[in-house]
Amino acid sequence: MTDPPSTGSTPPPAEGAPSVPPAAAPAPPTHVQPPPAYNPGSVPPYGGQPNPGQPYAAAPPPAYGPPAGGAVPGKTLGIVAFVLSVLFFQLIALILGIVALVQSKKAGAKNGFALAAIIISSVTMVLGLIFFAIFVAVILPTLAMGAEELYSFCLANGPGVYETNGIEIDCYEILDQ
């Protein structure tokens, strides 16, 4: 029978043989050199060259700027135009809304407030013109006709204060004009 190949370790002692203690670890050297003193100037900052006068590079200032979403140009102007269109300042709201929408389009952003201001102010301006036309065509002639009748009444009755249908009429003022 052959012995197994040696692996560098000692084989276990045979039965009945005296055991040999393992070799003791080497003794530490009697003279130990202390580690070198820490010198911050000797360590270069990350990605840079050592600077003996300044141990570390200064931190960069914090980044200030627009929020992560970014400001939409013309958004504030669009909100102002929207508020003015609701408050019946239609012409001003229309102009500001168009300016805000153009600014937003140039930046490639959408501006719903500006678009809403343009629509609201345009619709209310058209409705205002329609109501003005109705007022001029219907109500003013009615008022004028009533004024003619009132003047005719005062001419027929002469100066004085009269009551007609529960309404007091002062013909002194009407005839003086």
Side-chain angles (χ1 to χ4, degrees), residues 31-39:
H31 181 329
V32 177
Q33 185 176 12
Y38 176 70
N39 182 358

Side-chain angles (χ1 to χ4, degrees), residues 56-164:
Y56 297 105
Y64 293 106
V72 176
K75 185 173 184 178
T76 304
L77 194 59
I79 293 171
V80 169
F82 178 75
V83 170
L84 290 176
S85 70
V86 173
L87 296 176
F88 298 109
F89 294 102
Q90 273 63 46
L91 185 60
I92 297 170
L94 181 65
I95 293 169
L96 292 179
I98 291 171
V99 170
L101 191 61
V102 167
Q103 286 178 355
S104 297
K105 291 281 184 184
K106 282 184 181 178
K110 294 182 179 181
N111 194 342
F113 282 111
L115 185 61
I118 292 170
I119 292 170
I120 291 171
S121 60
S122 298
V123 168
T124 52
M125 282 176 66
V126 168
L127 289 175
L129 289 174
I130 290 171
F131 287 131
F132 181 73
I134 290 172
F135 179 77
V136 168
V138 176
I139 296 174
L140 281 182
T142 304
L143 291 175
M145 185 172 56
E148 279 183 34
E149 290 176 4
L150 189 61
Y151 187 71
S152 299
F153 175 81
C154 286
L155 278 178
N157 293 324
V161 177
Y162 305 100
E163 187 173 329
T164 306

Side-chain angles (χ1 to χ4, degrees), residues 1-63:
M1 195 171 188
T2 61
D3 288 332
S6 176
T7 58
S9 64
T10 58
E15 286 186 41
S19 65
V20 178
T30 57
H31 181 329
V32 177
Q33 185 176 12
Y38 176 70
N39 182 358
S42 66
V43 178
Y46 181 73
Q49 299 297 322
N51 185 354
Q54 184 180 18
Y56 297 105

